[in-house]
Amino acid sequence: MTPIETTPEWSHLESLRITHGEFDLRGAFASDSTRASRLTFEAGDLTVDLSKHLIDDDILSALLEVARAADLKQRIEALFSGERINTTEERSVMHMALRSEPGDGYTVDGEPVVPKVHEVLDRMSGFARRIRSGEWKGFTGSRIRHVVNIGIGGSDLGPAMAYRALRSYTHPQIGVQFVSNIDPADLASTLARVEAESTLFIVSSKSFTTLETLANAKAARAWLVDRLGDDAAVARHFVAVSTNTDEVEAFGIETDNMFEFWDWVGGRYSMDSAIGLSLMVAIGPESFREMLAGFRKIDDHFRHRPLEDNVPVLLALIGIWYRNLLGLSTYAVLPYSNDLDRFPAYLQQLDMESNGKRTRLDGTLAGIDTGPIIWGEPGTNGQHAFFQLLHQGTTVVPADLIGFIEPNDEIANQHDMLFGNMLAQAEALGFGKSREEVQAEDVEERLVPHRTFPGNRPTSLIVAPRLTPSVLGQLIALYEHKVFTQGSIWGINSFDQWGVELGKVLATRVIGELTDGNEPDLEHDSSTNAQIRRYREAKRTAG
Ligand code: F6P
């Protein structure tokens, strides 16, 4: 594949390169009364206003040419047709099948996958109904009141984020907790909130070999058996979600209590697979399927819309404009929805584990920057913390602001205040406040520079009628396909994650050295060696 930066289309884009200060957003709006309507797009139930980005028609069409030069349409078809586009792991990438309709023809290696997906979905639905209705009893005959999902990364962030996002749809008598961290504080604080006889543990791990998850799952099992006094209790209180039947059995969970998914589902693309079981128990199978239908709406949009009004593609191209042409290294996601408070963290894994890479598909080093740093917090909280930098700092941070017309909770006019704040922030960021405007307010001259806002701080406004299961599915799929588009243009594999391996290997060695009573010789750098010795010494002194 030709590196994108060596194509004439990229050279043309470079010829349009500007600094953010050179773009005149005020002027762009003043000279074109149709700017907002022309740059506002629909995808499913999402209305996406891109008019406050630092783009004009020439820039946008140059970006679209870059997408064409990267054969984006063919890449999208390769994805949907099950080609092994995850070349370093020799796998297909088929998370779209997780939200398929029974008649859809998705295949992997020539084998239809939709029937398997629906078989597991039906098993999950049956199980979730039994838990929700109280038909499934714990070992002592109690019904399940607490679900604890034990998993990390893609086996945690998706369901944990969605459980909070869909709080209004959850079962009132079943609480779901999420344990991910190897820090014993995570499991200990969770176990302190639940009772063994009414708790179901869902051990979620694609590989079923992840250190944190297995350590937490073993400790949870020991806690349960200790409280209920019988190993046989495990069968009523533990289920597993994994691709690895052998390891699940080796752990001691019967395959009857296992919900399967497949290696063509990447961890960070798996929240709509059986990894979503804890979420399904919480919101019920019907709402879960509504969420899947939402994902599907955006899959259809991404696959079939022309590039020029394909919203994930446009978001991706605008992101490339900032990352590669304006040199902006971070991108914020700011949901004006408290229930979406974990959405930025979810997107961090989705985006940064997918596109945080410097090696191209062909093994050569990328000649241009790839994935940006993704971060964010819900509004309005962020306004009273880091928005100062967004408005007046020396670093420009493009941002997506996400809001909803209808709230899921009514308290006085607080939702109007929330939505109004979102619009006001986008306006302030985009248009700022000039020196003359400040002076016109009779401000003391020495304060004028401090009270001036430069503007030209770009935002998208992503608005949906309400935060429903379907809309959540649409939002996630929007970002999944944005990430895929960017990876395709940069020529990297968005579906492996070799960058997490080295730390895992070194951790295994260091953990051994911290706890081995024989105190083996240390052969790390002098800093790591000293830290290990200090830790051992402190433990010895503590007794
Ligand atoms: O360490 C990274 C990672 O492999 C992620 O990609 C994955 O989501 C997470 O660990 C958990 O992996 P598993 O589901 O196999 O336990």
Side-chain angles (χ1 to χ4, degrees):
M1 172 184 179
T2 318
I4 195 66
E5 71 276 13
T6 64
T7 61
E9 289 81 358
W10 190 267
S11 303
H12 177 55
L13 187 64
E14 280 196 316
S15 73
L16 303 174
R17 186 199 291 269
I18 47 163
T19 66
H20 73 275
E22 284 164 351
F23 196 92
D24 177 14
L25 203 51
R26 283 187 184 216
F29 272 88
S31 64
D32 176 7
S33 60
T34 65
R35 182 174 171 93
S37 57
R38 281 193 311 108
L39 290 174
T40 298
F41 301 85
E42 308 282 329
D45 301 315
L46 311 177
T47 302
V48 181
D49 178 352
L50 303 176
S51 63
K52 293 196 194 68
H53 281 293
L54 309 183
I55 51 168
D56 58 22
D57 291 346
D58 290 344
I59 295 168
L60 197 52
S61 75
L63 285 165
L64 286 162
E65 285 309 315
V66 164
R68 291 187 188 102
D71 285 337
L72 181 61
K73 272 284 178 195
Q74 285 90 321
R75 283 280 300 171
I76 295 173
E77 243 354 86
L79 168 76
F80 279 88
S81 59
E83 268 181 44
R84 291 190 174 193
I85 60 169
N86 177 356
T87 47
T88 60
E89 296 180 314
E90 293 189 49
R91 289 177 183 166
S92 302
V93 176
M94 200 23 101
H95 44 270
M96 298 77 61
L98 300 171
R99 49 265 192 161
S100 58
E101 292 285 346
D104 289 345
Y106 292 123
T107 57
V108 169
D109 296 332
E111 198 198 322
V113 290
V114 174
K116 302 204 251 198
V117 166
H118 282 271
E119 198 186 305
V120 174
L121 258 181
D122 290 345
R123 277 192 64 223
M124 288 168 64
S125 303
F127 179 74
R129 280 199 187 95
R130 285 199 287 156
I131 299 286
R132 290 167 62 84
S133 67
E135 186 195 327
W136 177 286
K137 299 275 189 279
F139 186 63
T140 62
S142 297
R143 61 178 292 179
I144 299 298
R145 297 286 184 203
H146 310 280
V147 173
V148 178
N149 184 79
I150 300 179
I152 196 164
S155 300
D156 164 70
L157 287 164
M161 173 276 290
Y163 178 65
R164 294 174 74 87
L166 301 177
R167 175 187 53 86
S168 315
Y169 296 81
T170 56
H171 193 295
Q173 272 123 32
I174 301 176
V176 184
Q177 329 263 339
F178 293 86
V179 172
S180 54
N181 205 326
I182 193 68
D183 183 342
D186 198 2
L187 182 63
S189 60
T190 302
L191 295 181
R193 291 195 293 268
V194 301
E195 299 92 39
E197 48 282 3
S198 57
T199 299
L200 173 78
F201 292 93
I202 302 181
V203 186
S204 298
S205 173
K206 179 176 172 182
S207 60
F208 229 78
T209 57
T210 303
L211 173 86
E212 292 89 337
T213 301
L214 288 192
N216 279 322
K218 278 180 196 149
R221 185 176 58 186
W223 174 87
L224 182 101
V225 170
D226 180 54
R227 298 256 169 332
L228 300 186
D230 197 331
D231 274 334
V234 171
R236 304 303 301 166
H237 293 269
F238 272 79
V239 299
V241 177
S242 187
T243 59
N244 191 340
T245 313
D246 294 346
E247 289 295 335
V248 169
E249 280 180 336
F251 180 85
I253 296 178
E254 295 161 18
T255 40
D256 281 356
N257 284 347
M258 172 178 165
F259 297 86
E260 193 193 1
F261 66 115
W262 308 275
D263 68 4
W264 39 266
V265 181
R268 53 195 174 273
Y269 297 86
S270 68
M271 64 87 65
D272 46 341
S273 72
I275 288 292
L277 184 61
S278 53
L279 177 67
M280 189 194 264
V281 171
I283 64 173
E286 289 71 26
S287 292
F288 193 87
R289 284 175 197 254
E290 277 174 34
M291 181 184 77
L292 297 183
F295 273 95
R296 194 168 189 275
K297 271 190 186 176
I298 302 298
D299 291 344
D300 286 345
H301 173 100
F302 181 57
R303 189 174 188 181
H304 299 299
R305 298 299 299 172
L307 298 182
E308 48 275 16
D309 62 357
N310 192 315
V311 178
V313 171
L314 293 172
L315 281 171
L317 292 174
I318 289 170
I320 284 176
W321 175 240
Y322 294 134
R323 182 75 175 115
N324 297 121
L325 284 304
L326 276 72
L328 306 180
S329 55
T330 90
Y331 199 104
V333 178
L334 308 168
Y336 275 72
S337 160
N338 206 58
D339 289 335
L340 280 180
D341 61 351
R342 294 294 287 158
F343 196 54
Y346 173 77
L347 291 184
Q348 280 178 330
Q349 188 199 15
L350 179 67
D351 199 315
M352 292 162 78
E353 199 170 57
S354 296
N355 285 344
K357 293 165 192 167
R358 59 185 203 135
T359 310
R360 289 188 220 268
L361 284 159
D362 63 5
T364 58
L365 286 184
I368 50 175
D369 281 322
T370 62
I373 296 160
I374 301 293
W375 63 283
E377 278 287 322
T380 57
N381 294 2
Q383 291 174 206
H384 299 273
F386 53 79
F387 268 54
Q388 165 63 41
L389 184 150
L390 300 190
H391 285 289
Q392 289 186 315
T394 52
T395 301
V396 172
V397 183
D400 291 345
L401 276 53
I402 304 173
F404 303 97
I405 303 288
E406 295 289 333
N408 280 329
D409 305 276
E410 291 279 7
I411 300 180
N413 67 337
Q414 285 189 210
H415 184 75
D416 300 337
M417 296 190 207
L418 175 71
F419 198 84
N421 263 280
M422 178 179 79
L423 298 186
Q425 289 298 325
E427 190 178 356
L429 287 163
F431 305 112
K433 194 170 184 180
S434 67
R435 189 177 177 81
E436 297 68 36
E437 285 166 335
V438 179
Q439 280 167 334
E441 288 174 354
D442 279 341
V443 168
E444 219 186 309
E445 193 52 34
R446 73 183 176 89
L447 292 181
V448 170
H450 297 280
R451 300 187 61 167
T452 299
F453 289 69
N456 277 344
R457 311 258 155 158
T459 53
S460 324
L461 282 170
I462 302 178
V463 178
R466 183 191 281 264
L467 180 52
T468 60
S470 166
V471 162
L472 181 66
Q474 294 175 50
L475 282 171
I476 299 169
L478 179 73
Y479 283 98
E480 285 179 349
H481 297 315
K482 172 192 169 183
V483 166
F484 172 75
T485 300
Q486 291 189 330
S488 300
I489 291 173
W490 287 320
I492 56 179
N493 180 0
S494 301
F495 301 103
D496 60 12
Q497 55 285 315
W498 300 106
V500 299
E501 293 307 319
L502 176 61
K504 285 186 191 172
V505 172
L506 288 177
T508 309
R509 181 169 147 206
V510 172
I511 292 164
E513 289 165 342
L514 286 176
T515 53
D516 186 341
N518 296 325
E519 304 211 345
D521 286 345
L522 299 176
E523 290 175 3
H524 304 271
D525 60 277
S526 57
S527 159
T528 310
N529 287 345
Q531 292 289 349
I532 294 173
R533 289 197 189 98
R534 230 174 274 140
Y535 187 89
R536 284 173 179 169
E537 184 54 32
K539 293 281 264 194
R540 209 179 7 248
T541 316

